[in-house]
Each structure stands twice: as structure tokens, then as C-alpha cells.
Amino acid sequence: MISLDRLRVAALVSDGNDVKEMIVSLLGKALREGVFDAVLVPLVAPGQDSYDYVLVGNPSLLKGANPIPPVVPVSGGRALMSLARRGTGDMRIAAVMRPCEIRAAIELAKLGQVDLKGITLIGMDCPGALPLQDFVKSPEDGEEKFKTVLRSFDDDGVRPVCKMCRSSATLFGDLHFGFVGLEDRSCFLMSQTTKGNDVLDRMSLGTGVDASAWARGIEGLSARREAGRTETLGELSERVVGTEKLLRAFGDCINCHNCMRVCPICYCRVCGFDSQRGGHPAVDYFQRAQSKGSLRLPADTMLFHLGRMAHMSLSCVSCGACEDACPASIPIAQIFSLVGDRAQRAFDYFPGSSVDDAIPLLVFREEEFEGDDENG
Amino acid sequence: MEALDSRDEVVVVERHRLLCSHDGKSWLENRIRENSLTHLVIAACSPRDREQIFMEACGRAGLNPHLFQLANVREHCAWTTDRKEEATEKAIRMTRIAIARVRYQAPLEKKEIEVNPDVLVVGGGVAGLRACATLASQLRKVFLVESTDRLGGMIARFEKAFPDMRDVKSYLENLVNDVRSNPRIEVMTEAKVERIIGFFGNFEIVVRKGGSDSGATELRVGAVILATGASLADPKGIEGFDLCAVPDVFTALEFEDMNRRGCIVCRNGSPPKSVAIIHCIGREEKGYCSGICCMYSLKFSRYLTDKISSVQVTHLYRDMCVPGRFYQDYFEESLGDRVKIVRHRKSRVTEKEGRPIVLYEDVNGRENALAVDMVILAPAMEPADGSRRIAEVAGIPLDKEGFILERHPKLATESSGKDGIYIAGCAQEPKSIEESVIQAEAVAGKIMASLVPGRKIEPEVRISTIADSFCQGCGSCVAVCPYGAVSLDERRKVAVVNEVICRGCGNCAAACPSGAASIRHYTRSQMYQEIMEAVR
């Protein structure tokens, strides 16, 4: 069961609205009271068929805000990186996003790609998100479907990577809206940092509420998704572990590099695989073709994925952006989750849990990998 | 030879029986000139042994040494197997790899910088002071950084030194005056070394004086001496000596202080009539003998018997450590009617009616109780607080106790694990004053002999280079650089390599996900060509 000791918990008073509206109205209040200068939050796109992260300074423009949208077309981590790579000056900005996106933002902060100084990260219990490709086919159906998903938290129809999520109801940022296990139209706002506490104080939200009902509520959810994880990854490793199987799994790849472009952790200015430096004289390719019998072109498609795995596996937060963006329907987020799981376990590292938790690659520990290595 | 002769662009293939001999080298130089070679591959033995010699020969013959590649066909081929055919095949392949690579090598221009003959000394105890005085006497510029507000270190608390009972105060006053008044020695007290990067002959140092707000001083020196000293283990952490409630129990240093103030008295104001001095406290826990406690404990009984006519002193020891030519005499002369020694196995200190009582088990296993007016404890020596910090700053290894690890326990006790960073005094292990002085002078001598003004050093040219256009400023390279050679330009958000400090280890190139960091002479195209040829 989650430890509630360090949390400050406020109960939000319902005025007949659902949780999403409660969150939006609280954000509006925070803007009006000057607690934040701006809010970064998903807003419905002009065509009503998608969502964008929008930086809102004027509370009246929060009307179209949807803090828990059915889909995640752009990761909040990426949105935040574009906003705050060089800090936010004196501005105080609230960034409202799903827990996995917050974890991505925390990883980016460790890699110097987001300066979190002026940012208050606000998360919420996450029911999961719908597959983007399903949603774009019929946004109306998607919206309807997601209403049920949000009400029931039953994982029906959400992305496979959401069904095995480890962070769907965990606090990673400064503040967290928790509502699983509570009565309809009630919600807790929880803080675990001084930044979060400051917001609670400035908004005069009384704390000291007993959050054990929520903690019990998410226990079942966490257990179910953990079980889902074991099952999915177990099946997946049957299908993809080993050179032949992995090559087959990525056989459909069209080398579009979408997975890299949407990945919130992939932060290079120019990907080595996109730059001309990756190319070689034709004679080299010919030589490779000769020695192997044939050569698939563009070459190095698999190498691209292996390179990304090497770079991403420690920090991968399993947000699923790559799988949403894959036009060839490769279960890439699940494969990365499998690889990430093993790499992270080897270093006893859970990415995105805290800015103070250094990325294993960047710290040297003499006692690493002593004794039995369960990962072989 | 035939296998190689047919390769593209290979001008000439020749054999020489002993290329690294004097004749061989001049033959090589002639062959380079006669054939106007633009690149050179030698298939021979280990680059560890011979690369430098051949590079020098290239230089003399007018060929840039970095346009030469050595294929190690001895260790990698001839010595790995008895199967001659296969070894030959591998040797051909290794040589072809070198040929493939050398075509992509670039001429790197060597740089020369003059060594900096100045020296930084960290720690103003007797070892640090002696090192300063010796170096400055030979006209070296020395910077002395001391963390406290005064010089002298631990021995400033002593009245006399064993075995000659020489007056420490006047010795130290003279030494401190010498150091303070010497214009070649710049003394910085209440200062901390924050950064040591670089290598022998060229260190960049940052020293911060006083609080963290005050400014930092940047220094450049050629060598560093760490003389951060030692302290005593806190007896509270040792079983049987949790002494909060027991009066009139002093550690060795507390007793030195009391003696130096000139009044050895108990809590009630009168001089002690009976004193127990317990040796070897923490010896078992620490796992080493501090080596000097027996001697200074004997010195304490001399202080006591000289100053208090009726005092009875009992030494409780486990093993008496009095080696050398003078210590045995000192030991024997210290004993007498008023000074007794008792060998014991185990002891603890407790209290009865306001007086300390030493409970100990003697060598026969009998329990004894000794009621005395005063107890003096000789706890194990341990590294001073500063050692761990300075080791981190300098990037040098410590032993498991936290003493600075010497390069070799017999052959290089004055060197740390890093070239140009030396150790003097108790920072390495517990030492007597004379041992500290000997080591300080040895280090000073070593520096004067090797860090000669005017000598040139050639910084590594096969170093890292970071492409601004690819760098995203994540700082991974900064974190993995063992030399502190990479830093982040906060304004431009890109990593920058200090070309004089970089040693070309390649950590940054391995850690950089963007491919912005690469190593000259180990470029992507060079390695790609090597691999392509290897797997052909």
C-alpha cells in the first residue's frame, strides 16, 4: 500500500461537476489568484478531433481544457522541453499531465533538457489513454468510449502499454489529483514537495484529510496493472527475444523514425540516424550485400532501433508515444517496456521518480553487478 | 607479403628483422623518405612497447606520426596460438585492418607546453610546512592551503616530542615563521581546495577562502602535495568507552592540551595521584596498529612524572610497539618505580563514587579493577575529515579506512594513484613527526627532480572534440569525464572540452547519445573502416 505519511492531502469540495471540471476550475482559480502565471494543459483542438498542449495565461481560455484527454498525441514531456529548456525566468507555470508524462519531464530535467525551477508538475490518477490511431478514425466514438473508461477505470479499450502501467496512480511531480476509490464528484489534491505545499497554502486549501480510501482504491488498480504487465511482457518475450524474433518484430518497420520524433526522452538535436553522417559509400553497402547475400535498404533499420534501445532503456517511462505514432503497428512501446524493465531492474532504477535519483549511466558505483546477475 | 602487396594504394611492402633497433629505425626513416610515403603501417609487436619509437621515427622522416598505424601481430597473433597457419591468416587480416584504418587517419599536430614548476600543498601541519619550506628553499613557488585559521596542525598541541623530548613549540614556531615570511610561499588559511583538474606539470586549481560566498582563487601548479593529516578515533564509538558520564577521562589530544596549558589536574582541581593510560583503543575495530601511540603514551608518563612528584602511572597495553634504534631505550628509561606496565587483553572504563575505574582482563584471563584519579586513552588514529573530501576533489583512491592510497606500498609510497599528486605525512597512514618530515622532504625532492622548470610536456593530441552543432547540452559527458576536462557552457548550453586537460579516454564519446563527442584518431569513419575490414 502506498505510504501516505509524507503527503499533505486536501479534499476538494464538489459543486456538482465531474473530476475533470473540478481540476479545470481549480486551475482557473489558481490563475486568477496569481498562484501561477500560466498553465500548460491539454486543450481540445480547433477541429474538436484532437488535443494539443497549450500554454494558457488567461483563465477564460481554460474553457476547452481537458486535463485527462482520451489520447496523448504529444507527450507533455516534449511540450515542456520545448517550453522550458532554458528555464522559465520569473514565470511560475503549472504543467498538468499524466503521471508517465511527468516522469518523462523528470528524466529530461536530469538530462538538462527541462529546467523545472519555475514549473509545478501536476498529475492525476490515470485511467490510461486510447490508441491514437483508433481515436482519429472517429473522435466522437472515442470521446464516448473514454467517458466510460474514466468512470470505471476498467482498462477496456486503453492502449496495451496503459494496461500494464506501473505509474498510473503514483505521485511523481509536486501535486496529484486522486479520485480512484472515492465517491463520485469527490477528489483529493495531494502534495509531496515544498512547491506543492506552497500551492496548497497559497490557495488556502486546508489539509490533513485522511487519504486511506484513495490509497485502498488504487491498490486494486495497481495490482491489476502489475499482473497485466507480467502477463503481457511474458507473452511478448516469447515473441521478440532473440535475434531472429526481434528482426521479425521490426520487419514491418518503414524507417520513418516517428517513434524517435515523438519520444519524450529522445532529446538529441539531430538524430545520428537522420544525419548524413550515418551514410557510407555505395561500395560499402555493396560489400555488405555481397557478404550477407543481400542487404535491405535503407540499411541499418534494426540498428536504429537497437541504438534507441541502448540510449532510452534506462530512462524509458513506457508512455506509449512511440507505439501511438508507429504507422506499421509494431508494438514498439511494449518492446521498449520489456527492455527498459530489465535494464532498469539491473541498476535498481525507476526512471522519473525523483530528480535527485541520478541516471545510472552517469554515476559510477564500484559495487554494481557484483554477485548473481538475475538478468543473465 | 604477397597478400598485402596487392592491396589498393599500397606502395611498398618490406620486411625488416629488428625494426626497433638503431639500424632498423634509420632504415625505416630512409624507406619513408625514399618512397615519399603518405601513410605507414607496421605489423610488429605491441603498441605499448613500440608505438612511440616508430612514431618518433616517422616524425624524423617528415611523416606525421598519426598517419602511422601499428598492427600488433605478436601478442594478438603469434603468441595466442601454436597453429601457425591460422595465426598467419589472422596477422594478414590484422594488417589489412590497419591499412583500411590508416587511410582515414588525419595528421594531428603536436602541441608543447612548458611545465608549471609551482606546487600546491594542501594541509598546514608539520608535513605540509616542511614540504613548503624545502621547496621554497630551492626557489620554488608554493601555495599552502590550510582549512583552519592557523598553521601547525596536530603537533601544535604537543609540548615535547619523543624520543629526544625536544621542545615542539620552538621547533614549530621557527618552521611556521620560515613559511610565513618566505615570499615564495603563499599561505591561504581558512581555505578549501574545490577543484583539482589536470595532470603532472599542469594542474588547474580552485581554492575558496572563508565562507562559500567569498571569491574563489584560481591557481595553476605543476604538482600537488596532499598533507591533510590524521585525527583520533572517537572512543565513544568503541565498545567499553562510551564515557559521557565518567569524569577525568581524557583522550591523548585532550591530555596534550591540558599539559600544554601547564596544569594537569582532575576535575576537583588537584593533580592526579594515580593515572591509567590505556593503549590500543580501537586497534581491533580498525584492524591496524597506529604505531605511535605506545611512544606518545610513554611520553605522557614522562610529562606526569616530571611534573607531579607523587604520581603513579599504569600503562595498560596489548602489544608494546617500540621499534627502531631509539625507541627501545626510551621505553626502558620511561619505566620505573612510578611507572608500571600491565599487559591486558580487554578493558573498559566505568565510574564509582565520582572516580574512574578501569576494568580489565589480564593475560591470564583474570578480571581486575583499577581505581585511579585520571584515565588517558590512546585511540587509533584515523584519516582527518579533509582526506575524503580532497580525494574526491582530486579523483584519487583511498584505502578502506579512508587514508590516501599510495601508488605502491614499497616503491612509490610518496605518490597517490594519480601522476603529479603526492602524499606527505599522516594523510597516508599514522606516522611519527620524523616519519612525516622524511616523507615531506622526499616528496619535495621528488618534485624538484622531475618537475624541472623549462621542461616541456606534450599534452595528448588524440583528444575529445565536441561538435556544437550536434550537442544538446545534456551534460552526460561532463558526468563521465574522469579528468574534469569537459564542462557545460551554460549560456550556449553546449559541452566544451578543455584541450590541455583532456586525455582522450573516450568516455564522453561513449556516453554522448547525439554523436557530438568524438575522439580524434578514433573517429567514426576510422572505426567503421576497421570493423568493415575485420568482418569482410
Side-chain angles (χ1 to χ4, degrees), chain B residues 457-484:
Chain B
I457 45 174
E458 286 177 17
E460 181 61 63
V461 292
R462 292 174 283 195
I463 56 167
S464 163
T465 168
I466 294 180
D468 279 10
S469 50
F470 287 95
C471 177
Q472 181 72 352
C474 72
S476 299
C477 49
V478 179
V480 298
C481 177
Y483 302 100

Short mmCIF file of all heavy atoms in Angstrom, two decimals, chain B residues 457-484:
data_model
loop_
_atom_site.label_atom_id
_atom_site.label_comp_id
_atom_site.label_asym_id
_atom_site.label_seq_id
_atom_site.Cartn_x
_atom_site.Cartn_y
_atom_site.Cartn_z
N ILE B 457 56.22 19.61 -21.80
CA ILE B 457 55.40 18.40 -21.88
C ILE B 457 54.48 18.53 -23.08
O ILE B 457 54.14 19.63 -23.50
CB ILE B 457 54.56 18.16 -20.60
CG1 ILE B 457 53.90 19.45 -20.13
CG2 ILE B 457 55.37 17.53 -19.52
CD1 ILE B 457 52.95 19.25 -18.98
N GLU B 458 54.17 17.40 -23.65
CA GLU B 458 53.28 17.40 -24.81
C GLU B 458 51.92 16.89 -24.36
O GLU B 458 51.78 15.71 -24.06
CB GLU B 458 53.83 16.47 -25.89
CG GLU B 458 55.01 17.05 -26.61
CD GLU B 458 55.58 16.08 -27.62
OE1 GLU B 458 54.87 15.12 -27.99
OE2 GLU B 458 56.74 16.28 -28.01
N PRO B 459 50.93 17.76 -24.31
CA PRO B 459 49.59 17.27 -23.97
C PRO B 459 49.13 16.29 -25.06
O PRO B 459 49.54 16.39 -26.21
CB PRO B 459 48.72 18.52 -23.99
CG PRO B 459 49.65 19.67 -23.97
CD PRO B 459 50.93 19.19 -24.57
N GLU B 460 48.32 15.36 -24.64
CA GLU B 460 47.77 14.38 -25.58
C GLU B 460 47.07 15.12 -26.74
O GLU B 460 46.38 16.11 -26.50
CB GLU B 460 46.76 13.50 -24.82
CG GLU B 460 46.10 12.43 -25.64
CD GLU B 460 47.09 11.43 -26.20
OE1 GLU B 460 47.76 10.75 -25.42
OE2 GLU B 460 47.20 11.34 -27.44
N VAL B 461 47.31 14.68 -27.97
CA VAL B 461 46.59 15.30 -29.09
C VAL B 461 45.43 14.43 -29.58
O VAL B 461 44.55 14.90 -30.29
CB VAL B 461 47.51 15.63 -30.29
CG1 VAL B 461 48.46 16.73 -29.90
CG2 VAL B 461 48.25 14.40 -30.76
N ARG B 462 45.42 13.16 -29.15
CA ARG B 462 44.30 12.28 -29.56
C ARG B 462 43.18 12.48 -28.55
O ARG B 462 42.93 11.61 -27.70
CB ARG B 462 44.77 10.83 -29.58
CG ARG B 462 45.78 10.58 -30.69
CD ARG B 462 46.35 9.21 -30.66
NE ARG B 462 47.37 9.07 -29.61
CZ ARG B 462 48.23 8.08 -29.53
NH1 ARG B 462 48.20 7.11 -30.43
NH2 ARG B 462 49.11 8.02 -28.56
N ILE B 463 42.58 13.64 -28.59
CA ILE B 463 41.64 14.01 -27.54
C ILE B 463 40.22 14.14 -28.07
O ILE B 463 39.98 14.02 -29.26
CB ILE B 463 42.07 15.34 -26.89
CG1 ILE B 463 42.19 16.41 -27.96
CG2 ILE B 463 43.33 15.17 -26.10
CD1 ILE B 463 42.31 17.80 -27.39
N SER B 464 39.34 14.43 -27.13
CA SER B 464 37.92 14.57 -27.48
C SER B 464 37.66 15.89 -28.17
O SER B 464 38.32 16.89 -27.92
CB SER B 464 37.10 14.50 -26.19
OG SER B 464 35.81 15.00 -26.42
N THR B 465 36.69 15.85 -29.06
CA THR B 465 36.22 17.09 -29.64
C THR B 465 34.70 17.02 -29.67
O THR B 465 34.13 15.97 -29.98
CB THR B 465 36.85 17.32 -31.03
OG1 THR B 465 36.17 18.37 -31.68
CG2 THR B 465 36.79 16.08 -31.90
N ILE B 466 34.05 18.09 -29.28
CA ILE B 466 32.59 18.08 -29.19
C ILE B 466 32.02 19.07 -30.19
O ILE B 466 32.36 20.26 -30.18
CB ILE B 466 32.11 18.39 -27.76
CG1 ILE B 466 32.54 17.25 -26.83
CG2 ILE B 466 30.59 18.55 -27.71
CD1 ILE B 466 32.15 17.39 -25.39
N ALA B 467 31.18 18.56 -31.09
CA ALA B 467 30.62 19.39 -32.15
C ALA B 467 29.43 20.18 -31.61
O ALA B 467 28.42 19.60 -31.22
CB ALA B 467 30.19 18.51 -33.32
N ASP B 468 29.57 21.49 -31.60
CA ASP B 468 28.49 22.37 -31.14
C ASP B 468 27.17 22.06 -31.83
O ASP B 468 26.11 22.09 -31.21
CB ASP B 468 28.83 23.83 -31.47
CG ASP B 468 29.77 24.43 -30.46
OD1 ASP B 468 30.28 23.65 -29.64
OD2 ASP B 468 29.98 25.64 -30.51
N SER B 469 27.26 21.80 -33.12
CA SER B 469 26.04 21.69 -33.91
C SER B 469 25.23 20.44 -33.56
O SER B 469 24.05 20.36 -33.86
CB SER B 469 26.38 21.68 -35.39
OG SER B 469 27.38 20.73 -35.63
N PHE B 470 25.87 19.47 -32.90
CA PHE B 470 25.13 18.27 -32.52
C PHE B 470 24.84 18.23 -31.02
O PHE B 470 23.99 17.48 -30.57
CB PHE B 470 25.90 17.01 -32.93
CG PHE B 470 25.88 16.76 -34.40
CD1 PHE B 470 26.91 17.19 -35.21
CD2 PHE B 470 24.80 16.10 -34.99
CE1 PHE B 470 26.88 16.98 -36.58
CE2 PHE B 470 24.77 15.88 -36.34
CZ PHE B 470 25.80 16.32 -37.15
N CYS B 471 25.59 19.02 -30.25
CA CYS B 471 25.47 18.92 -28.79
C CYS B 471 24.17 19.53 -28.32
O CYS B 471 23.81 20.64 -28.70
CB CYS B 471 26.65 19.63 -28.12
SG CYS B 471 26.53 19.64 -26.32
N GLN B 472 23.47 18.78 -27.45
CA GLN B 472 22.20 19.27 -26.92
C GLN B 472 22.36 19.66 -25.45
O GLN B 472 21.39 19.96 -24.77
CB GLN B 472 21.13 18.18 -27.13
CG GLN B 472 19.73 18.49 -26.68
CD GLN B 472 19.01 19.51 -27.58
OE1 GLN B 472 19.60 20.10 -28.46
NE2 GLN B 472 17.74 19.71 -27.33
N GLY B 473 23.58 19.61 -24.95
CA GLY B 473 23.85 20.11 -23.60
C GLY B 473 23.29 19.27 -22.47
O GLY B 473 22.94 19.80 -21.42
N CYS B 474 23.22 17.95 -22.66
CA CYS B 474 22.63 17.12 -21.60
C CYS B 474 23.61 16.89 -20.44
O CYS B 474 23.21 16.50 -19.35
CB CYS B 474 22.16 15.78 -22.15
SG CYS B 474 23.47 14.65 -22.60
N GLY B 475 24.89 17.12 -20.69
CA GLY B 475 25.86 17.01 -19.61
C GLY B 475 26.31 15.59 -19.29
O GLY B 475 27.03 15.37 -18.33
N SER B 476 25.91 14.62 -20.10
CA SER B 476 26.35 13.24 -19.84
C SER B 476 27.87 13.15 -19.88
O SER B 476 28.49 12.49 -19.06
CB SER B 476 25.75 12.29 -20.88
OG SER B 476 24.35 12.32 -20.80
N CYS B 477 28.47 13.83 -20.85
CA CYS B 477 29.93 13.80 -20.99
C CYS B 477 30.61 14.42 -19.78
O CYS B 477 31.66 13.95 -19.34
CB CYS B 477 30.35 14.52 -22.27
SG CYS B 477 29.59 16.14 -22.45
N VAL B 478 29.99 15.47 -19.24
CA VAL B 478 30.57 16.13 -18.06
C VAL B 478 30.59 15.14 -16.89
O VAL B 478 31.57 15.03 -16.16
CB VAL B 478 29.75 17.38 -17.68
CG1 VAL B 478 30.33 18.06 -16.45
CG2 VAL B 478 29.68 18.36 -18.85
N ALA B 479 29.48 14.38 -16.76
CA ALA B 479 29.37 13.45 -15.64
C ALA B 479 30.37 12.30 -15.75
O ALA B 479 30.87 11.84 -14.74
CB ALA B 479 27.94 12.90 -15.56
N VAL B 480 30.67 11.85 -16.95
CA VAL B 480 31.52 10.65 -17.07
C VAL B 480 33.00 10.97 -17.26
O VAL B 480 33.82 10.06 -17.25
CB VAL B 480 31.05 9.73 -18.21
CG1 VAL B 480 29.63 9.23 -17.96
CG2 VAL B 480 31.14 10.42 -19.57
N CYS B 481 33.35 12.24 -17.42
CA CYS B 481 34.76 12.57 -17.66
C CYS B 481 35.55 12.41 -16.36
O CYS B 481 35.28 13.08 -15.38
CB CYS B 481 34.92 14.00 -18.17
SG CYS B 481 36.66 14.45 -18.38
N PRO B 482 36.54 11.48 -16.34
CA PRO B 482 37.28 11.27 -15.10
C PRO B 482 38.32 12.36 -14.84
O PRO B 482 38.92 12.40 -13.77
CB PRO B 482 37.96 9.92 -15.33
CG PRO B 482 38.09 9.79 -16.80
CD PRO B 482 36.96 10.57 -17.41
N TYR B 483 38.55 13.23 -15.82
CA TYR B 483 39.60 14.24 -15.66
C TYR B 483 39.05 15.63 -15.41
O TYR B 483 39.81 16.58 -15.26
CB TYR B 483 40.49 14.27 -16.91
CG TYR B 483 41.11 12.93 -17.19
CD1 TYR B 483 40.57 12.08 -18.14
CD2 TYR B 483 42.21 12.49 -16.45
CE1 TYR B 483 41.12 10.83 -18.38
CE2 TYR B 483 42.76 11.26 -16.68
CZ TYR B 483 42.22 10.42 -17.64
OH TYR B 483 42.76 9.20 -17.86
N GLY B 484 37.74 15.78 -15.39
CA GLY B 484 37.16 17.11 -15.24
C GLY B 484 37.46 18.00 -16.44
O GLY B 484 37.53 19.21 -16.33
#
